[in-house]
Amino acid sequence: MSDILTHVEAGVMTITFNRLDRKNSITAAMYAALADALEAAAGDASVRVVVFQGHETVFSAGNDINDFLQQPPAQEDAPVFRFLRAIATFPKPLLAAVCGPAVGIGTTLLFHCDLVYAGDNAAFSMPFVNLGLCPEAASSLLVPQMLGYHRAAEALLLGEPFMAEAALEVGLVNRVVPPTEANALAQSVARKLAAKPLASLVETKRLMKQGQTDAVLRQMREEGACFGRMLREPAAREAFTAFMERRLPDFSRL
Ligand code: COA
């Protein structure tokens, strides 16, 4: 079965991360499938709302570390960058249901969603510094805006996880429910949205976001250049090798 499942019903496209044996970590091929799905959904009148979901136990472990080491994204048309531009500019409502770990892009993509529902086991983390990298998905802009600078510094410099209740408190999620209920809650809200006039949804989202979109895309480009460079440097190599070898990284000489 595919690692990315898409299903359209009653105006709602549901995109499911379906790579449980790798904790729903995302490969370049999966980013391409995600970008294709969003680009198609944007232009398809039968899709009015999109929902991202994972599994009750894990949303996504972020970038697939092996895949990133083997084929680091270099060009602006790399699948990961296509996906980031697609979530930043997606015109219709974008929802997410998040349970378990949401690492890296698993958390940063949520800053581009309009509504987020979390299981009480959700654990959000952006450990870019711990991996010898820098933030992506315009998180260096959007996280300070939403969390305030000092909490953003805690999340992005220390890279420590924060749980669903903390995410609710800072406004990253709309509601926390038992993990068995998160996907169903997102679906029921998506259906409610899908029954509303699409043009009003699209114009309202555009008006809420328009002052910000250019800055987000600019930040994504700058982060992307930085991220791509750092991915090839010794700190990231050490962090990724340590993860694969199940040991702590040693940055003492880096
Ligand atoms: N890339 C590639 N493989 C990954 C992965 C990733 N991001 N995350 C998990 N996996 C693999 C593990 O290597 C392991 O493989 P194995 O069964 O061959 O040993 C398998 O998925 C299960 O992961 P495991 O770490 O044993 O699960 P866990 O429940 O103990 O922990 C996480 C789950 C998500 C907390 C943990 O896997 C993790 O921290 N992953 C890395 C996250 C990360 O740094 N992502 C990059 C962000 S840029």
Side-chain angles (χ1 to χ4, degrees):
M1 213 189 300
S2 172
D3 293 337
I4 296 294
L5 303 177
T6 59
H7 173 74
V8 180
E9 195 177 332
V12 178
M13 175 185 275
T14 303
I15 300 179
T16 306
F17 300 117
N18 183 44
R19 195 177 179 232
L20 209 44
D21 60 331
R22 298 275 127 196
K23 301 288 168 184
N24 289 340
S25 56
I26 307 175
T27 60
M30 291 164 72
Y31 279 120
L34 290 165
D36 289 347
L38 287 174
E39 285 164 14
D44 180 347
S46 73
V47 176
R48 301 161 78 88
V49 180
V50 170
V51 180
F52 288 112
Q53 65 179 23
H55 187 261
E56 273 167 40
T57 59
V58 61
F59 183 62
S60 171
N63 294 307
D64 180 296
I65 287 174
N66 271 323
D67 193 63
F68 244 45
L69 276 177
Q70 277 159 23
Q71 41 177 341
Q75 310 293 333
E76 283 223 344
D77 63 353
V80 61
F81 298 136
R82 277 183 58 217
F83 170 67
L84 294 182
R85 284 193 296 274
I87 51 174
T89 58
F90 192 69
K92 302 170 186 177
L94 208 47
L95 276 62
V98 184
C99 297
V103 186
I105 188 76
T107 288
T108 57
L109 84 82
L110 305 175
F111 288 84
H112 300 276
C113 290
D114 302 294
L115 294 158
V116 180
Y117 299 99
D120 57 20
N121 62 344
F124 305 87
S125 62
M126 295 174 280
F128 304 112
V129 166
N130 303 342
L131 295 168
L133 296 170
C134 68
E136 36 81 312
S139 54
S140 56
L141 175 71
L142 300 174
V143 178
Q145 272 180 9
M146 184 178 283
L147 273 60
Y149 185 82
H150 292 95
R151 281 198 282 207
E154 207 165 48
L156 287 170
L157 295 178
L158 279 171
E160 284 175 0
F162 53 98
M163 299 302 291
E165 286 301 332
L168 182 66
E169 192 194 317
V170 297
L172 177 59
V173 310
N174 293 83
R175 228 175 112 186
V176 178
V177 294
T180 48
E181 294 171 21
N183 287 0
L185 174 59
Q187 286 295 326
S188 81
V189 176
R191 295 230 175 168
K192 206 189 273 185
L193 283 167
K196 296 185 189 292
L198 180 59
S200 295
L201 293 172
V202 168
E203 288 301 330
T204 303
K205 177 166 175 170
R206 185 183 67 76
L207 289 163
M208 286 199 290
K209 295 242 175 189
Q210 72 175 355
Q212 175 91 325
T213 306
D214 287 349
V216 163
L217 293 172
R218 210 168 33 247
Q219 196 86 0
M220 279 182 173
R221 273 196 301 277
E222 189 171 342
E223 289 173 346
C226 191
F227 195 100
R229 190 182 71 243
M230 298 188 89
L231 207 45
R232 294 170 175 78
E233 289 177 356
R237 297 268 153 186
E238 166 59 11
F240 288 170
T241 307
F243 176 76
M244 304 317 294
E245 293 174 357
R246 293 191 170 269
R247 61 171 173 81
L248 289 174
D250 176 8
F251 298 125
S252 58
R253 275 179 283 150
L254 298 171

